[in-house]
């Protein structure tokens, strides 16, 4: 097969940042994707309608002539009232919950995952049919953080049976198993959790550009994720979690967590699905499953992939901003025409 068409690709977990970085990264998604779920962990985070609408406007401007739908989210707060959520509902696709301090810009996250504390807001969301996206990690040992969080997912799923709960960027085989157990649990999966293990980050020379939260895990975890993704299990969607940080903040002590993968995502996915002879399932993973789960009717947009080497740029720049993509300098087998 020398060509492959992806229809209305959707990235269901994306960080676009702001200012120069926003102008740098938005076109790298808006050119090929029909839409993306935009994370609210700016500094300060997005928690009001006013700030949200301004941010949406800046994203739209950065898209230039690209036809692209940014689906915005707000940063979960325990004091969101029913009327606040009712008023903002049409402007957002979901509310994103971060436990305090578990990842980049989560200092204003919830202090406790006690269900009773979260109940008023989650009940309102359930009534209003607003999905909940969750960064599911504890503050335990880095390799166990997601696994330790799974009982919390279970408790949320049981307590709020009509709430759609999206386990973001799942990274373990145990998370995959949990997906099958509760009807109202869904998940996004990144390309890095499908392709890498901890060996790629610290097993040889340290690679800060592959450092992210949740950290990539064991071979058996990658296998379990690959299996459900390649079959395009209906509760799983593609979400890149592409999370750009300036080069200086990545190649540093106190290096920031986040992998910038937007520019290579579709090429890498095509290579992966082709390798396992599962290209027939790729459109479900990158678009159709998300359409069904979130009830979306994205704009029509075709991306033609051709089997031709693509050398990943070493760096992307805009004015003073510089960001290093995942697999910088590597050769991929598929290019976008
Ligand atoms: C993300 C970021 O940089 O905003 N970082 C990351 O490692 N994935 C936040 C997140 O999604 O956890
Ligand atoms: Zn993220």
């Amino acid at each position: 097969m020398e060509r492959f068409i992806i229809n209305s690709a959707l990235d269901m977990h994306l960080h676009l940042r702001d200012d120069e970085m926003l102008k740098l990264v938005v076109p790298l998604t808006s050119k090929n994707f029909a839409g993306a779920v935009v994370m609210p962990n700016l500094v300060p985070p997005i928690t009001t309608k006013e700030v949200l609408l301004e941010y949406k406007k800046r994203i739209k401007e950065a898209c230039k002539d690209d036809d692209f739908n940014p689906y915005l989210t707000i940063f979960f707060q325990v004091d969101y009232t029913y009327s606040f959520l009712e008023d903002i509902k049409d402007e957002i696709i979901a509310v994103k919950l971060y436990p305090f301090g578990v990842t980049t810009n989560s200092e204003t996250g919830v202090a406790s995952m006690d269900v009773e504390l979260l109940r008023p807001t989650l009940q309102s969301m359930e009534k209003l049919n607003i999905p909940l996206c969750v960064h599911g990690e504890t503050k335990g040992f880095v390799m166990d953080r997601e696994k330790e969080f799974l009982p919390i997912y279970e408790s949320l799923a049981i307590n709020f049976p009509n709430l759609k709960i999206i386990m973001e960027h799942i990274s373990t085989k145990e998370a995959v198993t949990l997906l099958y157990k509760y009807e109202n649990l869904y998940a996004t999966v990144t390309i890095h959790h499908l392709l890498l293990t901890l060996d790629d980050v610290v097993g040889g020379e340290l690679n800060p550009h592959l450092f992210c939260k949740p950290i990539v895990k064991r071979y058996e975890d990658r296998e379990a994720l690959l299996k459900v993704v390649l079959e395009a299990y209906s509760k799983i969607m593609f979400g890149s979690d592409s999370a750009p940080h300036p080069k200086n903040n990545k190649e540093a002590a106190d290096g920031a967590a986040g992998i910038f993968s937007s520019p290579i995502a579709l090429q890498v996915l095509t290579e992966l699905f082709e390798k396992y002879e599962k290209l027939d399932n790729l459109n479900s993973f990158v678009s159709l499953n998300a359409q069904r789960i979130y009830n979306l009717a994205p704009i029509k947009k075709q991306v033609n992939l051709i089997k031709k080497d693509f050398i990943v740029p070493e760096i992307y720049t805009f004015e003073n901003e510089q960001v290093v993509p995942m697999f910088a300098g590597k050769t991929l087998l598929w290019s976008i025409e």
Side-chain angles (χ1 to χ4, degrees):
M1 151 104 54
E2 299 302 315
R3 301 176 78 81
F4 187 75
I5 294 174
I6 295 180
N7 288 302
S8 301
L10 296 169
D11 182 345
M12 303 308 285
H13 182 133
L14 177 65
H15 299 268
L16 291 176
R17 315 300 191 203
D18 214 337
D19 306 313
E20 286 183 2
M21 185 63 95
L22 176 108
K23 291 179 185 151
L24 195 170
V25 301
V26 164
L28 296 167
T29 290
S30 66
K31 185 161 189 285
N32 297 315
F33 285 81
V37 174
V38 182
M39 290 298 136
N41 62 331
L42 304 181
V43 188
I46 301 177
T47 55
T48 68
K49 190 171 174 184
E50 199 186 351
V51 169
L52 180 94
L53 294 178
E54 286 296 318
Y55 186 46
K56 196 183 275 187
K57 212 161 87 189
R58 292 196 294 282
I59 295 170
K60 287 277 193 191
E61 276 163 19
C63 292
K64 305 255 172 65
D65 293 332
D66 293 338
D67 209 359
F68 173 77
N69 255 315
Y71 303 112
L72 272 73
T73 58
I74 50 171
F75 197 104
F76 186 97
Q77 304 279 279
V78 285
D79 57 2
Y80 283 156
T81 61
Y82 185 88
S83 60
F84 167 80
L85 291 166
E86 190 177 30
D87 180 55
I88 205 163
K89 176 180 156 59
D90 292 343
E91 302 296 341
I92 59 171
I93 190 165
V95 176
K96 174 74 186 281
L97 188 151
Y98 293 88
F100 164 77
V102 297
T103 190
T104 310
N105 304 338
S106 62
E107 292 72 23
T108 52
V110 293
S112 149
M113 284 301 298
D114 178 7
V115 171
E116 293 319 312
L117 204 85
L118 310 175
R119 189 178 294 281
T121 311
L122 294 181
Q123 251 167 8
S124 302
M125 288 170 57
E126 197 174 27
K127 272 194 208 128
L128 290 162
N129 234 329
I130 304 173
L132 174 74
C133 300
V134 182
H135 184 112
E137 287 196 285
T138 66
K139 287 191 146 183
F141 175 61
V142 67
M143 291 292 276
D144 296 335
R145 288 173 187 174
E146 183 173 283
K147 210 163 47 183
E148 287 174 3
F149 194 89
L150 298 181
I152 301 175
Y153 275 129
E154 290 209 71
S155 144
L156 293 174
I158 292 165
N159 275 276
F160 308 98
N162 297 313
L163 182 68
K164 274 191 180 161
I165 301 165
I166 295 102
M167 303 159 70
E168 295 294 337
H169 41 53
I170 56 170
S171 64
T172 56
K173 63 182 196 306
E174 290 83 1
V176 173
T177 304
L178 192 65
L179 256 187
Y180 287 88
K181 200 165 159 193
Y182 296 96
E183 208 183 324
N184 55 335
L185 289 181
Y186 302 85
T188 56
V189 179
T190 72
I191 55 170
H192 44 274
H193 292 105
L194 289 173
L195 293 174
L196 309 173
T197 69
L198 190 61
D199 273 351
D200 297 293
V201 191
V202 294
E205 288 175 322
L206 174 67
N207 189 336
H209 298 292
L210 301 180
F211 168 55
C212 69
K213 308 266 176 83
I215 192 83
V216 295
K217 305 244 165 20
R218 296 177 171 80
Y219 290 85
E220 58 264 37
D221 295 308
R222 186 174 68 173
E223 282 309 303
L225 290 166
L226 251 183
K227 184 166 180 292
V228 278
V229 162
L230 290 171
E231 77 182 39
Y233 176 43
S234 61
K235 294 172 82 182
I236 286 197
M237 319 165 255
F238 170 63
S240 70
D241 193 17
S242 180
H245 289 276
K247 183 174 189 278
N248 292 344
N249 295 355
K250 292 291 290 175
E251 298 174 1
D254 302 325
I259 299 176
F260 177 52
S261 60
S262 294
I264 64 163
L266 295 178
Q267 300 89 323
V268 160
L269 283 171
T270 308
E271 183 171 334
L272 186 68
F273 276 68
E274 189 203 25
K275 178 177 164 194
Y276 291 95
E277 298 178 12
K278 292 288 183 191
L279 275 174
D280 286 351
N281 291 340
L282 181 51
N283 273 292
S284 292
F285 179 59
V286 293
S287 185
L288 297 172
N289 288 358
Q291 291 183 37
R292 222 178 317 100
I293 293 167
Y294 274 101
N295 262 319
L296 297 175
I299 52 166
K300 298 223 178 322
K301 197 168 190 173
Q302 269 199 357
V303 178
N304 295 305
L305 285 121
I306 48 170
K307 202 156 192 188
K308 183 177 136 206
D309 283 359
F310 170 57
I311 301 168
V312 182
E314 293 288 349
I315 196 151
Y316 286 85
T317 58
F318 178 80
E319 293 182 1
N320 295 315
E321 211 61 272
Q322 295 195 316
V323 58
V324 177
M326 180 180 172
F327 290 167
K330 293 228 160 88
T331 302
L332 306 180
L333 296 183
W334 289 80
S335 314
I336 290 172
E337 197 172 40

